[in-house]
Amino acid sequence: MTLLDHPTPVAAQSMRALTLVADRKIELIDVAAPPPPAAGEVQIAIRAIGLNHIDVWGWRGMAFAKRKLPLIVGAEAAGEIRAVGPGVGDLRVGDRVVPYGGLTCGTCKACREGRDNLCENVGGIMGFHVDGFARDLINMPARLVVPIPAGIGFRDAACAPVAFATVQHMLFDNAKLESGETILVQAGGSGIGTTAIKMAKAIGCTVITTVGDEEKAAKAKALGADHVINYRSERFEGVVRKLTAKKGVDVAFEHVGPDTFNGSLLCLKRGGRLVTCGSTSGQSTTINLFQLYLQQYRIFGSFGASMRNIRESLAKMAAGLTPVIDTEVPLAEFERGLARLEGRQVFGKIIVTF
Ligand SMILES: [Zn+2]
């Protein structure tokens, strides 16, 4: 359709939206652009989307996901403010921002205490339960928007709300990782794995990481990992034991699940902390409860992040801790990006550009 098909002005402009219409079926369609932003809202022109495993889950379909199709995809984004609604004091047209990916209430106890990802009345995760960011324009509550510091491009900023903030929350709010400690980062080639390696090295930790091939091993080394284990050719539990002189690591960073979870626990020193934000290899595992209490392990489930974690992430980027980008794909090739992510071919983040 061209403009010539509309000889009279149309009230609502149309825009592109990447829409999940069925399991494993995403279409780029034209939908009505949003109205001018309401009170307390800003309108954002989306410029880049970061892909995460939650997009793969959403794309494949998931039993526990309560949602209705069609659904606009995209859970992590960066963009530029195009319009500002009444009552928004601190944001201007042209400001570059990242939006928070969950529709929190802003008023419950958790929200008031800055624990946004524990909101008691959350309206859903954008791009998973409710319409997401993979569209030209979106209206968002201004309170869920964080400005991007000068010097950070949209591509890098698009890794802040989910990838960086999730890792920031896992390592520092939950596992309380400290300088000088040793950490095992599982699947160090993933978007969050690469981020965890860089964040842990930045505060002076010793980093042991696992990868699935030699090419990734070299890349993980180049990122600063002190020891890289190819989990296909070596049992990582044994190597970690050797590397730590049988003591074990202080922190294990998990997101692989059943394939590695028990091994990660075995790698911990007594009183060690395991933090997990995902389970890509399945949903269930069994654990040895004697080992759990006798070794005094602490296990943290971690999902998402707070608004503060996003600001901390952007501050780290501004200070030079930039994300590792695997590939950039245009909007129309979103599914190619998802397939690449699903196939674990990545080293770093996949970014979708507009
Ligand atoms: Zn809330």
Side-chain angles (χ1 to χ4, degrees):
M1 192 180 285
T2 69
L3 286 174
L4 295 174
D5 296 319
H6 294 288
T8 50
V10 285
Q13 300 282 329
S14 74
M15 65 169 184
R16 299 172 302 165
L18 255 191
T19 309
L20 183 69
V21 292
D23 287 350
R24 287 188 182 272
K25 192 157 193 262
I26 290 178
E27 289 176 358
L28 188 58
I29 59 171
D30 280 338
V31 299
E41 285 186 343
V42 292
Q43 186 168 92
I44 304 169
I46 300 295
R47 300 291 299 275
I49 300 272
L51 293 187
N52 294 280
H53 252 281
I54 193 165
D55 299 298
V56 176
W57 291 122
W59 180 52
R60 291 204 286 229
M62 208 175 191
F64 70 71
K66 281 187 187 157
R67 56 184 187 164
K68 269 195 233 153
L69 300 183
L71 180 91
I72 300 174
V73 298
E76 180 176 46
E80 191 174 354
I81 293 183
R82 279 293 165 81
V84 174
V88 176
D90 49 351
L91 294 165
R92 302 269 176 278
V93 170
D95 282 357
R96 298 164 342 107
V97 294
V98 294
Y100 190 73
L103 293 176
T104 58
C105 74
T107 56
C108 74
K109 186 168 184 290
C111 279
R112 289 197 315 272
E113 292 174 355
R115 296 178 297 129
D116 310 275
N117 48 336
L118 287 168
C119 172
E120 292 161 22
N121 313 301
V122 66
I125 295 168
M126 314 268 303
F128 189 75
H129 302 110
V130 295
D131 283 337
F133 298 113
R135 49 173 136 177
D136 288 314
L137 294 169
I138 186 169
N139 289 355
M140 286 290 290
R143 68 180 171 83
L144 294 180
V145 162
V146 181
I148 302 170
I152 305 172
F154 289 116
R155 185 192 76 168
D156 286 2
C159 303
V162 177
F164 261 53
T166 295
V167 176
Q168 176 74 20
H169 186 55
M170 291 171 77
L171 294 186
F172 303 108
D173 295 344
N174 286 321
K176 304 235 183 314
L177 182 69
E178 287 181 11
S179 176
E181 290 192 313
T182 300
I183 180 172
L184 169 66
V185 176
Q186 292 287 10
S190 63
I192 57 169
T194 51
T195 306
I197 292 171
K198 290 187 83 166
M199 283 189 181
K201 283 312 298 177
I203 64 159
C205 290
T206 298
V207 175
I208 305 171
T209 191
T210 62
V211 295
D213 64 55
E214 289 307 314
E215 194 184 328
K216 286 184 189 178
K219 288 178 178 173
K221 269 265 180 206
L223 275 191
D226 298 278
H227 307 283
V228 184
I229 304 167
N230 183 339
Y231 63 79
R232 292 187 204 277
S233 56
E234 290 179 292
R235 273 189 75 245
F236 70 84
E237 301 94 318
V239 180
V240 169
R241 220 175 132 68
K242 210 177 287 173
L243 287 171
T244 59
K246 296 187 184 171
K247 273 203 272 197
V249 299
D250 299 285
V251 170
F253 178 93
E254 253 293 336
H255 51 117
V256 177
D259 286 357
T260 55
F261 195 89
N262 273 299
S264 293
L265 278 179
L266 270 176
C267 289
L268 291 180
K269 65 167 61 161
R270 195 187 301 152
R273 298 94 78 193
L274 181 148
V275 60
T276 180
C277 74
S279 192
T280 50
S281 64
Q283 283 191 32
S284 304
T285 189
T286 56
I287 62 172
N288 182 327
L289 296 174
F290 276 40
Q291 182 197 356
L292 172 66
Y293 74 80
L294 288 172
Q295 294 299 318
Q296 302 176 57
Y297 293 151
R298 282 167 284 172
I299 300 177
F300 299 89
S302 197
F303 186 66
S306 66
M307 294 283 289
R308 171 179 51 82
N309 293 140
I310 298 177
R311 289 189 287 271
E312 289 165 343
S313 298
L314 289 165
K316 285 189 174 181
M317 287 184 193
L321 201 163
T322 51
V324 177
I325 307 295
D326 174 86
T327 12
E328 291 180 59
V329 298
L331 188 59
E333 292 177 33
F334 195 93
E335 276 184 302
R336 183 166 70 86
L338 289 177
R340 188 171 166 80
L341 193 56
E342 187 184 37
R344 295 191 187 183
Q345 296 163 305
V346 297
F347 192 86
K349 288 282 287 184
I350 299 177
I351 302 295
V352 179
T353 52
F354 280 62

